[in-house]
Amino acid sequence: AQSVTQLDSQVPVFEEAPVELRCNYSSSVSVYLFWYVQYPNQGLQLLLKYLSGSTLVKGINGFEAEFNKSQTSFHLRKPSVHISDTAEYFCAVSPSGSARQLTFGSGTQLTVLP
Amino acid sequence: DTGVSQNPRHKITKRGQNVTFRCDPISEHNRLYWYRQTLGQGPEFLTYFQNEAQLEKSRLLSDRFSAERPKGSFSTLEIQRTEQGDSAMYLCASSGLSGSHNEQFFGPGTRLTVL
């Protein structure tokens, strides 16, 4: 079984400042890792994913994340945020190798302040 | 629009009534997933299909919940004898065999309110 912990439920940050949203996971098997974003009244949209290879993954909208196997972390970063980045962000894992269900964290609400 | 669609978007029902939600996946996707999301939480996996076969249903919350995908295309999720605790957003996602492994594309969800 897998579990995901998102350490911050809310992160307020000023526009153009950098941001890091933290995600730690637990799993007895190797995993794929994902970050999704959810805007109000919308479904989840994939930001980026780690399947294998380079541990630094770049996604859409200027986001990136780094897989750290020893620390079982997959933190999401953006060097300069915009008002439009205000949303709920979810980290998720699934067992690697085949299509399986995603296990999500409880989410981090990112609020970008003017 | 070629994304995942869900109907209805909102459903208000009285306790004890049955409700059914529909999900239409991306047309070339053979895997379809259902999740439930309650306020302030991440989505929680319920069940998934590969084509018409339901390969995992142990996470369905009770025997009041059932899902079907009779022709391997659209799927329905039914909740019988609804309870107030069933109030949540029900999300559907789909994924394909080839290309991006495990990348699930989500629909906008059906918000259920049980009075």
Side-chain angles (χ1 to χ4, degrees):
Chain A
Q2 294 79 45
S3 67
V4 177
T5 302
Q6 291 185 242
L7 298 162
D8 306 297
S9 59
Q10 296 193 41
V11 173
V13 63
F14 287 106
E15 194 173 16
E16 298 184 4
V19 69
E20 178 179 81
L21 306 184
R22 297 181 292 168
C23 172
N24 287 88
Y25 70 93
S26 173
S27 177
S28 57
V29 299
S30 60
V31 295
Y32 294 151
L33 294 152
F34 306 83
W35 276 99
Y36 282 84
V37 60
Q38 187 175 35
Y39 299 101
N41 299 315
Q42 295 188 28
L44 284 81
Q45 179 183 7
L46 182 68
L47 274 178
L48 48 77
K49 61 191 176 189
Y50 172 79
L51 304 180
S52 65
S54 173
T55 57
L56 183 62
V57 179
K58 294 191 183 296
I60 62 171
N61 300 341
F63 284 94
E64 65 181 30
E66 187 158 18
F67 171 54
N68 187 319
K69 188 174 182 179
S70 63
Q71 296 186 4
T72 61
S73 68
F74 190 55
H75 300 332
L76 180 71
R77 301 185 183 100
K78 186 170 183 178
S80 176
V81 294
H82 303 289
I83 297 286
S84 59
D85 293 323
T86 294
E88 187 92 22
Y89 292 79
F90 293 96
C91 181
V93 302
S94 74
S96 63
S98 63
R100 299 283 184 88
Q101 63 266 28
L102 295 168
T103 299
F104 285 87
S106 57
T108 297
Q109 172 65 43
L110 173 65
T111 302
V112 181
L113 306 166
Chain B
D1 184 20
T2 56
V4 178
S5 62
Q6 293 187 245
N7 288 289
R9 293 290 308 273
H10 303 274
K11 178 71 176 178
I12 300 174
T13 191
K14 294 182 179 179
R15 188 176 53 187
Q17 297 295 304
N18 298 344
V19 294
T20 300
F21 310 139
R22 176 176 170 130
C23 171
D24 287 88
I26 294 171
S27 59
E28 62 269 26
H29 285 180
N30 65 334
R31 294 189 177 115
L32 187 149
Y33 308 79
W34 284 99
Y35 293 83
R36 184 180 80 156
Q37 185 178 19
T38 54
L39 201 60
Q41 298 297 316
E44 174 189 13
F45 170 78
L46 296 178
T47 188
Y48 97 95
F49 295 84
Q50 181 165 311
N51 300 313
E52 65 276 10
Q54 190 173 13
L55 298 186
E56 174 60 67
K57 58 181 179 180
S58 64
R59 302 285 190 88
L60 285 169
L61 300 163
S62 77
D63 58 7
R64 297 185 295 107
F65 287 71
S66 63
E68 292 183 343
R69 195 183 183 197
K71 298 182 179 178
S73 56
F74 73 92
S75 174
T76 57
L77 177 70
E78 182 182 15
I79 308 174
Q80 296 183 329
R81 305 181 303 281
T82 52
E83 302 173 355
Q84 287 185 326
D86 297 332
S87 295
M89 177 77 84
Y90 291 84
L91 297 168
C92 174
S94 69
S95 69
L97 266 178
S98 62
S100 301
H101 299 285
N102 283 37
E103 180 172 351
Q104 296 181 23
F105 293 81
F106 283 81
T110 295
R111 183 170 294 283
L112 173 66
T113 302
V114 182
L115 302 176

